[in-house]
């Protein structure tokens, strides 16, 4: 147990060790970046409450430990960290102190020195949560000018904190050396971003030309990735949003979630995983939308939580897409070769970068630029992959066109043979077809008639009558002539069925139907409206004429001879309603309702009568 504690303590303290303060002799330093390894001392402040007085004169001043590297990397630590270093006296030096990590939230730089026998206290502050113009030198990294002269050993203090990765690569530069190095770096970065933007524009034009959405997915992916790189390198805050400190502090994690979303989208489209790997594609789709969820977590919950989530999603991105590329490649999809090589180099860069941000591997020139190298290689290889994909699609299209042409010729020949044979058959069957057509026409006519007729009385049925009544009423409205509607109901019809059975009732209904048919004129309509109800529509008939016709119908029904059924004396009650242009309603339903009201009054008055 004690051995385990010793090993754990050693791992936590490495690469830091306690030692005496070492002065750095600037005059003897070479003309290049001046390393602070074995000179800088660090102190962790988990509470974040230590002040400058605490770390200079208090008990905390004795807790600094010497670091054997100037690439300070504490991973995703929520603690505040202090660093200090001491410079030996120097004269006439234009020096810059550089903190080469642009994503720190707050960076405070303190020192006290004598100038012309006057003691000066200097406090300079910067950070991506402060406006860009607040920096002592407006540069993507944090640059602090050092005094041109110090006449006695001077200790400098650096306090830095961040909700994300807590790193502080420290260097001291002579100003002329830094300007030369910055110029070389600008050339390299310009070449890097130029490659990505040129490829983005090229593929955007291809999308506008061929309308293949994979080009648009690729453009979205590499454009957002270029923006992520510019943000991680500090260029975005310097050139794109120098007045938006809140966005500058949130942008790295938010943009990383967005670019992961587009990476999954592009990979799914390129590898056609919905068709080739449906199960893995569902997993990729879930991870894809979790990337957007991490953006919401970053903005609404916590930047630290969102950063941890999106970093883990980046690892999942690497594993999932590489797995999909291998599986698709094993299925014989040729463009997946370039895709696999492109993502292997790029994801290796992502893995190295993530391990560096978590503090699991040290920060150096290789680990801090692994993502740029891998992404540049990826952009070039993915362009080759898309070109190879288009070549494969063209080959498949040519092969399909040849097969289609061959099949078309064979199909046309077969079709000509079938047409010739069918023509002979049709010629032979022409007479038969004409006969069948005539029979079908007769049958359709008969079916139409049957569909509109009552099977017992051969009058119109309810539905057919209503349809024709609407037409008759429209014509009466147009030509302005009266139309009479007669609704007829058999009196005590149930007694006929009760005395003699339904066959007697059917005979009575048939007899009534014959009476109505005999009294219908050309242009009139007659129908069996329901069980023992009948309805008639009489065109060009006013109220007086309608009453006369109704009375004749009532008398004819009363005189029906039911000799076989002596007790089945038939009578009927009739209700009239007349449409008169400009003096009554024009809706057929209202006309039927008025006739029904008149019929009801006839029944109330003792039946076997006509009411209007």
């Amino acid at each position: 147990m004690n051995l385990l504690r010793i090993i754990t303590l050693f791992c936590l303290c490495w690469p830091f060790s306690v030692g005496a303060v070492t002065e750095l002799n600037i005059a003897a330093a070479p003309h290049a970046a001046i390393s602070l390894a074995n000179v800088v001392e660090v102190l962790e402040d988990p509470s974040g409450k230590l002040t400058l007085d605490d770390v200079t004169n208090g008990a905390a001043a004795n807790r600094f430990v010497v670091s054997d590297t100037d690439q300070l990397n504490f991973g995703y630590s929520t603690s505040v960290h202090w660093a200090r270093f001491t410079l030996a006296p120097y004269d006439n030096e234009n020096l810059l102190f550089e903190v080469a990590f642009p994503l720190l939230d707050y960076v405070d730089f303190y020192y006290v020195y004598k100038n012309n026998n006057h003691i000066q206290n200097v406090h300079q502050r910067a950070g991506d949560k402060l406006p860009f113009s607040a920096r002592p030198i407006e540069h993507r990294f944090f640059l602090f000018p050092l005094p041109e002269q110090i006449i006695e050993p001077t200790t400098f203090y650096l306090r830095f904190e961040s909700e994300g990765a807590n790193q502080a690569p420290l260097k001291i530069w002579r100003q002329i050396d830094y300007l030369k190095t910055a110029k070389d770096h600008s050339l390299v970065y310009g070449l890097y971003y130029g490659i990505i933007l040129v490829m983005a524009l090229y593929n955007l034009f291809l999308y506008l030309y061929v309308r293949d959405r994979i080009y648009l997915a690729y453009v979205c992916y590499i454009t957002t990735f270029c923006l992520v790189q510019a943000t991680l390198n500090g260029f975005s805050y310097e050139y794109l949003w120098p007045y938006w400190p809140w966005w500058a502090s949130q942008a790295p994690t938010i943009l990383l979630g967005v670019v992961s979303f587009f990476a999954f989208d592009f990979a799914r489209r390129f590898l056609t995983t919905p068709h080739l790997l449906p199960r893995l594609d569902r997993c990729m789709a879930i991870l894809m939308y979790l990337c957007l969820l991490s953006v919401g977590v970053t903005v609404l919950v916590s930047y630290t939580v969102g950063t941890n989530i999106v970093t883990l999603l980046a690892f999942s991105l690497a594993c999932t897409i590489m797995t999909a590329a291998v599986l698709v490649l094993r299925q014989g999809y040729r463009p997946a070769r370039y895709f696999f090589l492109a993502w292997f180099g790029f994801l290796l860069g992502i893995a190295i970068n993530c391990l560096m941000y978590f503090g699991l591997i040290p920060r150096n020139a290789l680990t801090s630029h692994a993502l740029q190298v891998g992404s540049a290689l990826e952009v070039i290889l993915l362009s080759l992959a898309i070109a190879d994909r288009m070549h494969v699609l063209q080959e498949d299209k040519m092969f399909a066109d040849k097969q289609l042409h061959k099949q078309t010729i064979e199909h046309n020949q077969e079709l000509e043979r079938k047409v010739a044979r069918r023509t002979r058959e049709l010629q032979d069957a022409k007479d038969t077809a004409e006969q069948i057509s005539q029979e079908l026409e007769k049958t359709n006519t008969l079916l139409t008639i049957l569909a509109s007729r009552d099977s017992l009385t051969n009058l119109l049925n309810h539905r057919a009558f209503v349809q024709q009544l609407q037409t008759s009423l429209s014509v009466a409205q147009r030509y302005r002539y009266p139309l009479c509607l007669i609704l007829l109901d058999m009196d005590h019809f149930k007694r006929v069925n009760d005395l003699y059975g339904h066959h007697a009732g059917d005979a009575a209904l048939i007899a009534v139907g014959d009476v109505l048919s005999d009294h219908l004129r050309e242009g009139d309509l007659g129908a069996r409206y329901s069980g023992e109800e009948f309805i008639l529509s009489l065109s060009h008939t006013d109220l007086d004429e309608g009453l006369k016709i109704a009375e004749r119908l009532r008398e004819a029904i009363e005189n029906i001879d039911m000799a076989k059924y002596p007790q089945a004396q038939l009578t009927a009650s009739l209700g009239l309603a007349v449409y008169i242009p400009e003096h009554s309603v024009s809706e057929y339903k209202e006309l039927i309702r008025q006739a029904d009201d008149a019929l009801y009054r006839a029944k109330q008055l003792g039946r076997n009568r006509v009411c209007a």
Side-chain angles (χ1 to χ4, degrees), residues 293-395:
L293 180 63
S294 70
V295 174
V297 171
T298 302
V299 175
L300 301 176
V301 181
S302 166
Y303 178 85
T304 303
V305 174
T307 301
N308 290 331
I309 292 175
V310 79
T311 306
L312 292 175
L313 286 173
F315 273 114
S316 302
L317 173 73
C319 299
T320 307
I321 292 183
M322 286 298 291
T323 302
V326 171
L327 294 176
V328 170
L329 187 60
R330 290 179 61 184
Q331 293 188 23
Y333 187 57
R334 194 179 75 186
R337 295 178 300 175
Y338 291 109
F339 185 90
F340 175 82
L341 293 175
W343 276 88
F344 180 79
F346 172 61
L347 297 179
L348 181 61
I350 287 181
I352 293 174
N353 204 252
C354 291
L355 291 173
M356 178 194 70
Y357 280 125
F358 273 114
L360 301 177
I361 59 176
R363 180 188 178 94
N364 52 45
L366 176 61
T367 59
S368 60
H369 294 90
L371 198 54
Q372 284 91 335
V373 175
S375 60
L377 180 64
E378 182 216 21
V379 167
I380 297 172
L381 288 176
L382 282 181
S383 297
L384 294 176
I386 294 177
D388 187 50
R389 174 181 175 273
M390 289 300 298
H391 183 65
V392 169
L393 291 177
Q394 288 176 353
E395 289 181 348

